[in-house]
Amino acid sequence: MKTYVFNAHNVCTNPDRTVDWSNKACRFVIETAQSPNGRWNSGIDCTVHHSSRGFGVLLCRNMSSGYPSQRHATAAAIEECLKFAREELRELSTRPDDHEENSPPNVTIIPYIRTAISQLDTYLECFTPNQLF
């Protein structure tokens, strides 16, 4: 069984990478780790076009925090990434194009975001703990 190491800020320094997916406009990385009390937690690094969101895998200090399994922790992180991607898609669909140098028009980015959402939905199906195999 792997021993996970947490630094002085209670962030895991050697998590498992359970999801690492990217395309031209998006990147999603999900990492998980098990705390010494047996509870699992997850961290994310999400990038959609010019926006990003992320946080590391934190130590679960008590039995009410975190998740009972790595699958539960990964599914929760995927849901967080999906929420972020959908928010960004909604925002890009309603705002004018960026006028930054070398920035593609929103209309060319939106299909990549939709593909990313579809891929995250597929990952969620795989990691949802209620699935029977």
Side-chain angles (χ1 to χ4, degrees):
M1 183 170 161
K2 181 176 179 177
T3 300
Y4 297 93
V5 178
F6 294 87
N7 66 19
H9 303 286
N10 296 321
V11 177
C12 184
T13 60
N14 64 332
D16 294 329
R17 186 165 285 186
T18 54
V19 172
D20 189 346
W21 185 89
S22 63
N23 67 16
K24 188 174 181 179
C26 305
R27 178 150 195 249
F28 300 97
V29 176
I30 297 173
E31 296 178 326
T32 58
Q34 188 176 32
S35 296
N37 66 7
R39 300 289 288 179
W40 287 85
N41 212 350
S42 55
I44 64 170
D45 182 6
C46 304
T47 302
V48 177
H49 194 37
H50 294 306
S51 300
S52 63
R53 179 180 295 171
F55 50 85
V57 183
L58 297 177
L59 176 72
C60 298
R61 292 193 168 277
N62 57 57
M63 296 304 286
S64 63
S65 64
Y67 303 91
S69 72
Q70 187 174 36
R71 286 178 63 130
H72 282 89
T74 302
I78 293 168
E79 288 173 352
E80 183 70 24
C81 291
L82 273 166
K83 179 181 172 188
F84 175 63
R86 288 179 178 134
E87 288 169 1
E88 290 302 309
L89 176 61
R90 192 168 30 260
E91 186 177 326
L92 276 174
S93 297
T94 59
R95 77 173 184 217
D97 288 335
D98 293 331
H99 295 290
E100 296 177 21
E101 186 178 330
N102 298 327
S103 183
N106 292 349
V107 69
T108 62
I109 296 300
I110 288 172
Y112 291 104
I113 299 171
R114 287 191 177 126
T115 299
I117 289 170
S118 177
Q119 183 62 47
L120 287 169
D121 280 332
T122 300
Y123 280 130
L124 187 59
E125 287 178 26
C126 294
F127 282 98
T128 299
N130 299 340
Q131 295 293 321
L132 299 175
F133 294 97

